[in-house]
Amino acid sequence: MTLALDREKVLAWLTQRVPAARITHILGVEQTAGDLARHYGLDEAKARSAGLLHDLAKYFKPQMLLQMAQNEGLELDSVLEAHPHLLHADASAIVARDEFGVVDREILDAIANHTLGRPNMSQLSCTVFIADTIEPSRGNTAELEALRETSVQNLYAAVWQTSDHSLKYLLETRCYIHPRTVLTRNWALQTARAESPEIGKSTGKSIEQITS
């Protein structure tokens, strides 16, 4: 399949299943992930494909998401069982494979990792994870603008700060927090600090003060 033909097929499928506002978001993630991939010397076409496909299962019913996860042999924990919507990323990867014939493991992983992230995920997965939060239709708050600036300075710092952004929202709204979000945040912070030791120094000092 050519990329153009596949894209039109995906867009036609999405138009029948998600609201117009969600398609705007999806196109924003497609563009932003591609831009980040190009900036960091990654495969732009793969990033754009993962961005286009990342929310295929966004509006699937909870029971359907749980059934797909069980059929796929995915590990379900108490948080996923209580909040099946978190499975829409894994389910979207399944739809991308089964409905659109995507076999590239890096693309499928980037789709599956876009919500909760994953420690040691690829740089391509990082671009989609970040793009899902910072794409243009998300708004222009000071926090998002800061995230956008970080995204072109240090990929892992952007993953860490994107995770913090999500955690802040989940805490404020008293929502469930999946452990993988925390693990992703800590891995990204550690990786960013390994690349640039000055990153996160204040965090280290804060922890020392708390535990002293």
Side-chain angles (χ1 to χ4, degrees):
M1 293 185 295
T2 65
L3 184 60
L5 178 63
D6 180 61
R7 185 174 187 274
E8 291 307 312
K9 181 181 178 182
V10 173
L11 286 172
W13 189 93
L14 284 167
T15 299
Q16 299 299 315
R17 292 167 176 82
V18 307
R22 179 55 48 172
I23 292 181
T24 298
H25 163 73
I26 288 169
L27 294 177
V29 175
E30 177 190 31
Q31 181 64 53
T32 304
D35 290 345
L36 286 173
R38 183 172 64 253
H39 178 76
Y40 286 103
L42 308 174
D43 191 314
E44 182 179 353
K46 285 187 179 185
R48 290 178 63 88
S49 294
L52 182 66
L53 297 161
H54 84 283
D55 266 352
L56 292 171
K58 181 71 175 179
Y59 293 93
F60 284 14
K61 300 293 185 183
Q63 192 54 47
M64 184 175 183
L65 292 170
L66 286 169
Q67 189 63 57
M68 290 177 70
Q70 290 167 355
N71 291 345
E72 195 70 14
L74 300 179
E75 183 178 350
L76 295 175
D77 54 37
S78 60
V79 178
L80 294 174
E81 288 174 347
H83 196 41
H85 177 72
L86 292 172
L87 290 165
H88 84 272
D90 290 292
S92 293
I94 295 168
V95 176
R97 182 194 68 198
D98 295 349
E99 184 74 22
F100 299 106
V102 177
V103 295
D104 189 295
R105 189 71 252 170
E106 195 172 19
I107 294 174
L108 293 174
D109 285 346
I111 297 167
N113 292 333
H114 85 264
T115 298
L116 300 177
R118 185 177 295 278
N120 302 309
M121 62 181 172
S122 72
Q123 290 185 315
L124 189 79
S125 285
C126 289
T127 67
V128 181
F129 180 81
I130 296 162
D132 188 41
T133 294
I134 68 168
E135 60 87 12
S137 75
R138 291 296 198 186
N140 295 294
T141 65
E143 188 174 8
L144 284 175
E145 288 301 322
L147 267 177
R148 288 170 183 137
E149 185 175 341
T150 300
S151 73
V152 294
Q153 295 173 346
N154 186 301
L155 191 64
Y156 297 109
V159 171
W160 146 46
Q161 291 176 25
T162 297
S163 299
D164 278 1
H165 178 77
S166 297
L167 286 166
K168 179 182 176 183
Y169 171 80
L170 293 169
L171 287 167
E172 288 176 347
T173 55
R174 299 184 180 182
C175 289
Y176 291 112
I177 294 175
H178 195 277
R180 221 169 84 197
T181 302
V182 179
L183 293 173
T184 299
R185 183 261 184 194
N186 289 344
W187 160 75
L189 174 57
Q190 184 178 33
T191 305
R193 292 173 74 175
E195 288 188 350
S196 304
E198 71 279 3
I199 290 177
K201 279 188 175 179
S202 60
T203 303
K205 290 178 181 177
S206 297
I207 292 172
E208 290 169 7
Q209 291 168 356
I210 292 169
T211 57
S212 62

